[in-house]
Amino acid sequence: MENKKKFYFDVKWLFIIAIVGFLLVFQVFPLVYLLIRAFFAEGSFSLDAFTRIYSTSMNWSCVLNTLITASLSMVFGVLIAFPLAFLVGRTNLYGRKLFRTLFLMTYMVPPYVGAMAWLRLLNPKVGTLNVFLESIFGLSEAPFDIYSIGGLVWVLTTFYYPYAFITLSRAMENMDPSLEEASRISGASPVKMLFTVTLPLMLPSIASSALLVFVAAASCYGIPSIIGAPAKIYTITTRIVDYVYVGSAEGLTDATVLAVFLMVLALVILFISNFVIGKRDYITISGKSVRPNTVDLGKWRIPLTILTGLFAVVVIVIPFASVFATSFTVNMGKSVFEEGNFTIKYWETIFSRNSIVKSAGNSLISSVWAASLGMIVCIIMAYLLKRTNVRGRSIPDFLITVGSGTPSVVIALSLIMTMSGRFGINIYNTIWIMVIAYMIKYMLMGMRSVVSALSRVSPSLEEAAQVSGAGWLRRLKDVVFPLIGPSVVAGWFLIFMPCFYELTMSNMLYSDKTKSLGVDLFLYQTYHSQQTAAALAGAILILVAVLNIVLSKLTKGKFSI
Amino acid sequence: MSVITLDHVTKKFGDSVVVNDISDEFRDGEFITLLGPSGCGKTTMLRMIAGFEKPTSGEIRIDGKVVSSADTFVPPEKRELGMVFQSYAVWPHLNVFANVAYPLKIRKVPKAEIKEKVEKVLEAVHLSQYAKRMPSELSGGQQQRVALARALVAEPKVLLLDEPLSNLDAKLRERMRFEIKEIQARLGINVVYVTHDQGEAMTMSDRVFVINSGVLQQVGTPVEIYRKPENQFVADFVGKVNFLKGVSENGKIKLDGIDGTLDYSGEITGAVDVAVRPENIRISEENAHFRGKLLSEYFTGDTNDCRITAGGNELRMITDAATYKHFSDSETIGLYITDFIVFPASDSDFRKIMT
Ligand SMILES: Nc1ncnc2c1ncn2[C@@H]1O[C@H](COP(=O)(O)OP(=O)(O)OP(=O)(O)O)[C@@H](O)[C@H]1O
Ligand SMILES: [Mg+2]
């Protein structure tokens, strides 16, 4: 008996060691190397690189641009998300379900698609929306210019407010409604209640959702590269990629130093939001299911519904529609509805041109690998975390959280620096470097999905199998898998989807043979044909929508994201 | 001190009627308990009085002023009530003092007066030394008292309590019962108390409202409810009871399958249900109404809890502890009924109504 126990113990350790080893080699080591490299560029400790980087005004301005755009997006994102989360989650607004789906959908759409759409709409010369507004109000010049800090902030905000929306909705729905009722019965009006009870209780969630938006906006590459670059507005991310393209030793050092700044910023914020704010979070999920009391909007019901609808139209419907419209347009200077300006040739192109089909194939292969390997890691880790008390079981969980919090450019850069032969591993120019980058960045989604499923399955179900003599691997196969199956599938898709159209890391890691769909789309958008890019983006949007529906059917509405 | 009037109050959620046409008046300084099985509509009733739900039809008045009706609705914050929620709803972001001071702050009471009043009410609930604590540092019972203090501090006319003691251990529950009752008596306020614990209802109330599936079954003092239940449901829900079928004729009740009759001076004739409380059955050879066979007995310390079968009916008898092991199992013994209640026979199995 004694021996047998020991044997089980060892197997679990083997798994932990394998996973931790993988993360150490491909995540921790590269990131640490990056840090060291930033300070020891010439073999001995020196801040030269730092001084050089931060003394050129070019770099300073990109740091400033990043901080400004990310801060503004954070403020606007929360200002938008809070009322939306309240209206959709807690009131009798019409069409709440539809609105929720719409707002969440943006979350799964690659941000560069939004950038493309807004570029098309708000180009100062030919932007569709600009032209439209000019003709309606008889303006002499375009009311909006997307090529500006303001334009950048606008697109970042419209793409990252869903992050805050998700967090805030969850918090609002989990709050015990009697906390608010107690305020009403004490004599507070609904407005007074909002300011003395609801808002203070939500403060931790508001803070962490704000930080989430900040980090996401600061780490974003797709939007600033599509909108910022033509406007000569550089951010840390676009600057890093430029340096990497330069490729010289000095270029890499400069990229490293900028990356370290971004990484430290992101990880400090991750730490604050997980460990400082997380501890003060009042809204804990009680065992009892609370029946969220809905606020009757009364005479405001229709006006607020219209307002919310308008927001959804401007931020979601118009941009997506414009992407589709672009993909059918012959002459970009004219409307798609004009005589002879409609074509489906770009859609034919994306399904027939060899290079595009090949890129799609590459993306499919690498993201299937990333999702599958990622889920294996996630399942084992979630199981060890939730079902055993093996020591060190939370180390991989921690590392996975850190990995996903690290900006994509930083992950890619660290892999370039360490995995191209210098330390005995050379996977540069293969799909594996992408698979690994994808896993590091997106495994957390799968992990969350499995962990939450496991928390809902009572351990006694497994204990029953254990009593029947099943070992832990056997139990995993016979009992756990069948029960958490849907969540595993959901987790798989949650990793697969962002990898499939990933741009930032792919753009830094691809070679001629491993070009991915996101890179192809980006190249078409920037250099060759915006219509082809739009058709590709349209195809991706459809795929996302379809997978979403499948996912939500599969998991009975629990996961759609 | 005030009067709450319910005038044909009905509440529906969709198609299901949760409160069905209830009318009554809660009088000055009364301690009213709403008693009924889970899901019968007690919380809904309370929430309508508080103003968190609007009645589907009917009218609610407080001190003659309409607060809910077809065309008037006074929101909760204007009703000047105090309420303790089942979950306490003590705000986790405020300390004990700030929690309790909140209703006064809303009413813009001067600072010095707030301090004085809060200290007084905290003393009343024995929490003076905890004023600076955060709710997360308090036990469940202490949080419950914070909620009570908060409900009382603005001296409301009416105190609404929704199963405020359900999460406490038996000892603390008993003490809190006593404290609530004492505070109510001292301040002379109305209390509307929701519970499904009949012991709680019995010991605290001036009047008990027994509700089943949203329908008011009986209103009365605890003694009336227990001794003179108006229907089988009330008899069954309040206290323990044995039901026997029988026929009432000429001042006598013949019990089905039992060799013996009960003397009956009431007006109900024909087929009847006879309710006999276990403690109203005695062992007596000379005065026996009928005889039964002892199936089993359980010693509970102060009583002897017996199962008896008589003519196909299984009866429960709770009698003097001294009788324990006096008879052997399966022995036939004489039984004497000291008190019973008679209802016209009903086919419906009212026990099943309970959810
Ligand atoms: N907002 C609501 N929407 C739909 N049904 C509701 C709503 N609130 C209550 N109900 C239903 O009304 C019935 C009465 O509910 P209520 O909460 O008043 O019961 P209760 O007597 O307080 O029960 P308990 O003792 O379990 O607290 C229940 O069947 C419940 O499911
Ligand atoms: Mg209730």
Side-chain angles (χ1 to χ4, degrees):
Chain A
M1 234 22 236
E2 194 64 41
N3 272 342
K4 231 176 177 175
K5 254 195 179 140
K6 212 160 191 175
F7 172 72
Y8 287 144
F9 196 68
D10 284 348
V11 175
K12 284 177 191 163
W13 262 97
L14 229 68
F15 278 100
I16 292 192
I17 288 171
I19 292 168
V20 170
F22 170 83
L23 293 171
L24 279 180
V25 172
F26 292 105
Q27 177 188 333
V28 178
F29 166 65
L31 291 178
V32 170
Y33 175 77
L34 213 60
L35 254 172
I36 294 174
R37 169 77 205 254
F39 295 99
F40 294 87
E42 277 87 39
S44 62
F45 180 79
S46 106
L47 290 172
D48 287 355
F50 269 88
T51 7
R52 186 173 70 237
I53 277 279
Y54 296 113
S55 58
T56 60
S57 66
M58 187 77 172
N59 287 322
W60 248 124
S61 79
C62 78
V63 169
L64 277 184
N65 285 339
T66 300
L67 294 180
I68 290 171
T69 51
S71 310
L72 290 176
S73 313
M74 166 180 88
V75 172
F76 293 132
V78 172
L79 284 181
I80 291 172
F82 189 86
L84 283 183
F86 183 77
L87 285 174
V88 169
R90 295 287 310 278
T91 69
N92 61 347
L93 197 78
Y94 291 105
R96 295 157 60 189
K97 263 204 173 136
L98 175 73
F99 282 130
R100 145 163 282 138
T101 317
L102 274 178
F103 297 146
L104 291 183
M105 216 168 77
T106 333
Y107 187 74
M108 267 290 145
V109 169
Y112 53 80
V113 172
M116 292 163 54
W118 285 107
L119 205 64
R120 177 97 179 95
L121 288 167
L122 296 183
N123 182 302
K125 293 204 190 67
V126 296
T128 322
L129 203 60
N130 268 336
V131 173
F132 177 69
L133 291 175
E134 273 172 67
S135 68
I136 279 196
F137 297 107
L139 306 172
S140 57
E141 60 182 277
F144 299 109
D145 178 6
I146 192 72
Y147 295 119
S148 63
I149 290 272
L152 198 52
V153 169
W154 168 248
V155 180
L156 285 170
T157 305
T158 58
F159 263 78
Y160 290 116
Y161 80 89
Y163 286 53
F165 178 81
I166 291 174
T167 316
L168 294 175
S169 300
R170 201 167 288 152
M172 280 190 192
E173 279 154 25
N174 286 333
M175 190 160 73
D176 180 354
S178 58
L179 288 171
E180 292 178 331
E181 288 172 355
S183 157
R184 295 291 297 281
I185 203 87
S186 303
S189 66
V191 175
K192 194 104 193 178
M193 172 197 89
L194 185 69
F195 283 102
T196 53
V197 172
T198 315
L199 270 176
L201 282 175
M202 297 276 305
L203 215 54
S205 305
I206 293 174
S208 59
S209 68
L211 293 178
L212 202 64
V213 174
F214 181 88
V215 170
S219 329
C220 179
Y221 168 71
I223 293 173
S225 72
I226 289 180
I227 287 176
K232 305 244 173 334
I233 298 171
Y234 299 102
T235 62
I236 297 182
T237 52
T238 58
R239 204 89 190 119
I240 292 174
V241 176
D242 286 348
Y243 277 130
V244 170
Y245 280 164
V246 171
S248 66
E250 200 177 275
L252 280 182
T253 306
D254 289 1
T256 309
V257 173
L258 282 175
V260 164
F261 176 81
L262 195 58
M263 175 170 89
V264 170
L265 187 70
L267 292 182
V268 165
I269 287 179
L270 179 79
F271 176 80
I272 293 176
S273 104
N274 275 12
F275 298 102
V276 182
I277 300 177
K279 285 235 161 65
R280 319 188 96 248
D281 205 345
Y282 308 118
I283 298 165
T284 41
I285 301 163
S286 60
K288 279 187 202 160
S289 81
V290 288
R291 183 186 290 141
N293 58 338
T294 47
V295 177
D296 186 0
L297 293 174
K299 59 176 190 281
W300 291 99
R301 194 172 179 196
I302 291 172
L304 283 171
T305 305
I306 293 174
L307 207 66
T308 313
L310 223 62
F311 174 80
V313 166
V314 170
V315 162
I316 298 156
V317 179
I318 291 184
F320 290 178
S322 114
V323 168
F324 281 100
T326 305
S327 71
F328 293 112
T329 309
V330 180
N331 180 347
M332 294 273 284
K334 287 193 267 177
S335 156
V336 68
F337 300 112
E338 266 178 50
E339 189 67 34
N341 206 22
F342 180 90
T343 175
I344 56 161
K345 80 170 173 200
Y346 300 108
W347 283 85
E348 285 167 7
T349 306
I350 64 166
F351 289 109
S352 58
R353 190 171 289 171
N354 270 343
S355 64
I356 295 180
V357 173
K358 185 154 181 302
S359 304
N362 283 338
S363 280
L364 189 66
I365 292 169
S366 53
S367 41
V368 165
W369 271 111
S372 307
L373 292 177
M375 279 320 285
I376 291 175
V377 172
C378 291
I379 291 166
I380 296 172
M381 280 336 301
Y383 182 81
L384 292 176
L385 189 69
K386 281 277 139 187
R387 285 294 193 268
T388 67
N389 43 16
V390 188
R391 272 183 161 202
R393 67 189 184 284
S394 60
I395 295 174
D397 180 50
F398 173 75
L399 291 177
I400 289 171
T401 310
V402 167
S404 124
T406 310
S408 301
V409 271
V410 178
I411 295 176
L413 181 64
S414 71
L415 288 175
I416 292 174
M417 307 280 276
T418 50
M419 297 298 145
S420 41
R422 193 189 308 230
F423 299 98
I425 305 176
N426 190 352
I427 49 172
Y428 194 50
N429 288 345
T430 68
I431 68 159
W432 297 110
I433 198 164
M434 291 198 200
V435 170
I436 286 167
Y438 294 165
M439 283 173 71
I440 293 173
K441 182 69 190 172
Y442 295 113
M443 250 184 330
L444 187 66
M445 297 281 248
M447 182 85 178
R448 290 244 172 94
S449 149
V450 182
V451 166
S452 75
L454 262 187
S455 326
R456 285 193 304 266
V457 176
S458 155
S460 61
L461 295 173
E462 264 180 80
E463 282 158 10
Q466 189 169 17
V467 169
S468 321
W472 78 276
L473 266 175
R474 187 67 200 265
R475 297 202 296 275
L476 208 60
K477 174 175 147 296
D478 290 350
V479 181
V480 183
F481 272 3
L483 287 174
I484 64 169
S487 302
V488 170
V489 176
W492 192 91
F493 278 112
L494 289 176
I495 302 179
F496 171 83
M497 274 196 265
C499 295
F500 184 67
Y501 51 67
E502 208 279 336
L503 167 65
T504 315
M505 297 186 290
S506 320
N507 198 28
M508 295 168 74
L509 299 171
Y510 81 95
S511 67
D512 285 344
K513 279 198 218 93
T514 60
K515 203 194 274 176
S516 78
L517 197 59
V519 174
D520 233 9
L521 193 157
F522 183 66
L523 293 176
Y524 274 109
Q525 166 73 20
T526 332
Y527 302 111
H528 312 301
S529 151
Q530 294 198 12
Q531 292 97 316
T532 311
L536 270 175
I540 289 175
L541 284 181
I542 292 171
L543 183 78
V544 168
V546 168
L547 285 183
N548 246 323
I549 294 167
V550 170
L551 211 60
S552 108
K553 283 258 145 59
L554 206 71
T555 59
K556 303 195 178 65
K558 257 187 222 123
F559 278 96
S560 52
I561 239 236
Chain B
M1 264 165 281
S2 69
V3 179
I4 299 175
T5 316
L6 308 175
D7 198 347
H8 298 286
V9 173
T10 296
K11 177 72 183 176
K12 294 182 192 169
F13 286 112
D15 282 340
S16 69
V17 183
V18 173
V19 171
N20 194 351
D21 193 26
I22 290 187
S23 297
D24 208 284
E25 198 168 84
F26 302 170
R27 293 184 282 268
D28 245 8
E30 248 188 336
F31 196 115
I32 297 283
T33 298
L34 307 181
L35 178 69
S38 181
C40 73
K42 306 179 295 289
T43 298
T44 308
M45 193 66 237
L46 204 65
R47 290 171 61 81
M48 284 194 289
I49 296 173
F52 293 121
E53 307 277 2
K54 284 182 197 173
T56 312
S57 65
E59 200 170 282
I60 299 175
R61 293 186 290 274
I62 299 181
D63 287 336
K65 192 171 151 262
V66 177
V67 292
S68 285
S69 73
D71 39 32
T72 318
F73 182 75
V74 178
E77 63 268 26
K78 301 269 168 61
R79 296 194 180 189
E80 295 177 36
L81 307 171
M83 181 161 178
V84 175
F85 294 81
Q86 194 161 356
S87 59
Y88 309 154
V90 174
W91 298 303
H93 63 298
L94 301 176
N95 69 17
V96 170
F97 186 93
N99 258 285
V100 177
Y102 186 90
L104 299 176
K105 271 198 185 142
I106 294 288
R107 288 171 173 76
K108 302 209 165 57
V109 174
K111 264 221 168 86
E113 200 182 328
I114 291 183
K115 190 160 183 302
E116 187 191 329
K117 284 193 164 163
V118 171
E119 275 167 5
K120 222 173 97 196
V121 74
L122 282 180
E123 187 138 350
V125 297
H126 308 288
L127 281 178
S128 297
Q129 67 271 44
Y130 295 106
K132 292 266 145 50
R133 293 264 191 107
M134 293 306 278
S136 56
E137 301 164 327
L138 297 179
S139 74
Q142 288 164 339
Q143 288 185 33
Q144 194 254 334
R145 281 180 279 162
V146 174
L148 189 61
R150 185 180 61 192
L152 287 170
V153 75
E155 290 159 21
K157 300 182 284 190
V158 180
L159 187 60
L160 307 174
L161 301 160
D162 191 355
E163 294 187 42
L165 308 183
S166 60
N167 295 346
L168 306 185
D169 67 69
K171 248 216 163 95
L172 191 55
R173 191 181 319 190
E174 203 137 307
R175 216 176 73 208
M176 288 310 301
R177 264 188 213 173
F178 179 72
E179 282 176 17
I180 290 175
K181 193 68 197 156
E182 198 189 42
I183 288 169
Q184 186 248 348
R186 200 166 60 227
L187 302 180
I189 53 176
N190 278 34
V191 173
V192 184
Y193 192 95
V194 163
T195 185
H196 46 209
D197 178 329
Q198 48 152 311
E200 234 163 76
M202 289 307 198
T203 51
M204 298 172 83
S205 325
D206 294 322
R207 282 195 301 157
V208 181
F209 284 54
V210 185
I211 304 172
N212 185 30
S213 309
V215 180
L216 194 55
Q217 304 290 321
Q218 184 173 359
V219 182
T221 64
V223 175
E224 283 167 356
I225 297 277
Y226 192 82
R227 296 235 177 103
K228 299 197 178 62
E230 281 170 12
N231 60 34
Q232 287 93 325
F233 173 81
V234 177
D236 187 44
F237 190 73
V238 182
K240 307 172 193 82
V241 76
N242 298 295
F243 281 107
L244 297 165
K245 297 248 171 240
V247 178
S248 164
E249 243 172 15
N250 309 328
K252 295 242 179 259
I253 293 177
K254 167 92 184 64
L255 297 168
D256 291 3
I258 289 176
D259 185 16
T261 56
L262 300 171
D263 292 330
Y264 174 58
S265 54
E267 281 138 33
I268 304 168
T269 53
V272 291
D273 287 334
V274 178
V276 184
R277 301 227 181 256
E279 69 271 19
N280 292 338
I281 306 177
R282 297 277 157 74
I283 300 170
S284 165
E285 285 304 328
E286 50 272 29
N287 298 325
H289 284 114
F290 55 87
R291 301 182 69 76
K293 198 161 79 178
L294 186 63
L295 289 180
S296 61
E297 46 184 354
Y298 300 95
F299 184 67
T300 68
D302 49 353
T303 64
N304 183 13
D305 196 342
C306 310
R307 301 287 178 288
I308 294 165
T309 171
N313 301 289
E314 194 173 312
L315 297 174
R316 183 171 175 194
M317 169 177 77
I318 298 179
T319 185
D320 203 341
T323 62
Y324 185 66
K325 290 289 176 209
H326 192 75
F327 302 97
S328 57
D329 278 4
S330 301
E331 190 171 334
T332 304
I333 50 180
L335 300 169
Y336 172 68
I337 308 292
T338 61
D339 199 1
F340 59 91
I341 312 144
V342 180
F343 304 106
S346 151
D347 285 336
S348 67
D349 189 353
F350 36 85
R351 286 172 206 238
K352 286 257 171 62
I353 300 171
M354 287 199 290
T355 42

